[in-house]
Amino acid sequence: MKLSKAQYDEIAQFLGHVQPTRQSLRKLKKRFPRYLSGVVKNAGAPVLLELANEVDFAPSLMARIVLERFLQEQEGTIPSKTLINSMLRDPSQIPDGVLANQVYQCTVNDCCYGPLVDCIKHAIGHEHEVLLREMLLEKNLSFLAEEQLRAKGYDKTPDFILEVPVAVEGHIIHWIESKASFGDECSHQAYLHDQFWSYWNRFGPGLVIYWYGFIEELDCHRERGILLKDCFPTDIVTLRHSVAQH
C-alpha cells in the first residue's frame, strides 16, 4: 500500500495536532478509513502494518485501534481493556480470522510497543532483579524481596528492602530498586512520582540502579534520600564494618 506525498502530509499534520488518547485515535481511524479497503483486495497482505509504517505510527497501537473498533461494532459496547489486551497477546481469540492475522503481523513487527515487547522487557527486568539478588547475597546483606513484602500486605514496594541499612557514598540506604533501562528525564520523573517518593515516604532513603545508565543531572536528590547508580555499588559500608573500624 502506497501513499502520495499529499496524503502522507495530511495524515502527519493531523497526527501533529492531536493528543495520544483513545479519543484522538478514534478520530484518526474515522478520518482515514483505509484498512477495510486494503484487506478486501488482499486478505493476507500486511495492510495494517504497512498503514502504521506509512503514517509513522506504532503497529501495535494501530492494531489496538482497529481491534477496539471491530469489537465495538460487533458487540455494540466499548470492549474492556482486559479483553483487548488478551486478544493482542493471543490473536487467535479474535473472532475474525483476517483481522487476527493483521493484528499478529503488527505485534510481531513492533520493536517498541505491544505484547511481544512487553514480554522482552519483563524478561530483561527479571534477569536484572535476579542479578541484584545474587549480588546482595554475595555481600551477605540480609533483605526482604518484593514478593515477601507483598505477602506482608504492602502494595507499592521496591525490589529489595535491606533488613539492616547500609551506607553508599556516604548516604544511608534502606531499599534498592532495579531498573533494566536507561534513565531519561521523562521516565525518571514518572518513576519519582509513581514509585520512588512513595518508597522514600514509607521506607526511608534508598538506591535506584539504572543498569543501562542515566542522565547524570537526574541524580540530584541524594541529600533528600534517593541515590542513582548505573551498577551495583562497590563501596558499601555495613554496620559490621563500621563497628570494626571503631
Side-chain angles (χ1 to χ4, degrees):
M1 183 182 294
K2 297 181 180 180
L3 290 176
S4 67
K5 180 68 165 55
Q7 287 174 318
Y8 175 82
D9 289 343
E10 183 185 3
I11 295 173
Q13 184 177 16
F14 181 82
L15 284 172
H17 289 85
V18 297
Q19 297 297 318
T21 63
R22 287 192 173 188
Q23 290 75 18
S24 298
L25 296 181
R26 291 193 190 100
K27 292 178 184 178
L28 176 66
K29 171 63 172 65
K30 184 177 181 180
R31 184 162 177 178
F32 305 105
R34 303 184 58 221
Y35 165 70
L36 291 178
S37 61
V39 295
V40 166
K41 294 179 182 177
N42 185 351
V47 176
L48 209 51
L49 176 61
E50 291 177 356
L51 178 59
N53 290 334
E54 286 168 1
V55 298
D56 196 24
F57 202 66
S60 289
L61 298 182
M62 184 69 78
R64 178 181 287 272
I65 298 170
V66 175
L67 177 59
E68 182 176 339
R69 181 63 177 270
F70 169 79
L71 294 174
Q72 186 174 349
E73 290 180 353
Q74 284 247 314
E75 305 296 331
T77 59
I78 297 176
S80 68
K81 184 177 179 181
T82 301
L83 177 61
I84 292 176
N85 288 340
S86 177
M87 289 184 172
L88 288 174
R89 285 193 298 267
D90 180 10
S92 66
Q93 299 178 29
I94 300 173
D96 183 281
V98 173
L99 179 56
N101 180 50
Q102 295 290 324
V103 168
Y104 172 77
Q105 290 171 341
C106 284
T107 56
V108 299
N109 286 285
D110 195 325
C111 62
C112 297
Y113 301 98
L116 182 60
V117 174
D118 289 343
C119 287
I120 294 172
K121 288 180 178 179
H122 178 77
I124 294 174
H126 180 69
E127 178 183 352
H128 285 79
E129 287 177 20
V130 171
L131 176 64
L132 177 54
R133 181 191 296 265
E134 292 174 349
M135 291 177 169
L136 291 171
L137 292 173
E138 186 178 329
K139 291 288 186 180
N140 294 317
L141 299 177
S142 180
F143 59 83
L144 293 175
E146 185 177 9
E147 60 270 16
Q148 294 172 291
L149 294 167
R150 291 193 181 279
K152 291 177 177 289
Y154 292 104
D155 48 0
K156 286 188 176 182
T157 67
D159 292 318
F160 300 98
I161 288 184
L162 302 176
E163 295 191 293
V164 178
V166 300
V168 175
E169 299 176 6
H171 298 273
I172 300 299
I173 299 299
H174 289 265
W175 52 267
I176 304 178
E177 176 76 1
S178 171
K179 292 297 181 189
S181 60
F182 179 83
D184 59 41
E185 188 172 8
C186 182
S187 61
H188 183 65
Q189 291 302 323
Y191 284 138
L192 281 171
H193 180 270
D194 297 335
Q195 297 179 356
F196 303 159
W197 288 125
S198 296
Y199 302 160
W200 174 87
N201 187 54
R202 179 169 294 181
F203 305 110
L207 166 67
V208 177
I209 301 178
Y210 281 111
W211 295 101
Y212 292 93
F214 59 90
I215 299 172
E216 60 182 355
E217 285 82 0
L218 297 178
D219 191 15
C220 57
H221 297 294
R222 290 187 166 212
E223 299 307 318
R224 295 184 61 186
I226 297 180
L227 181 70
L228 303 186
K229 296 282 289 181
D230 62 356
C231 62
F232 189 79
T234 57
D235 57 345
I236 293 177
V237 178
T238 64
L239 179 62
R240 181 171 49 195
H241 290 154
S242 245
V243 172
Q245 288 175 355
H246 284 81

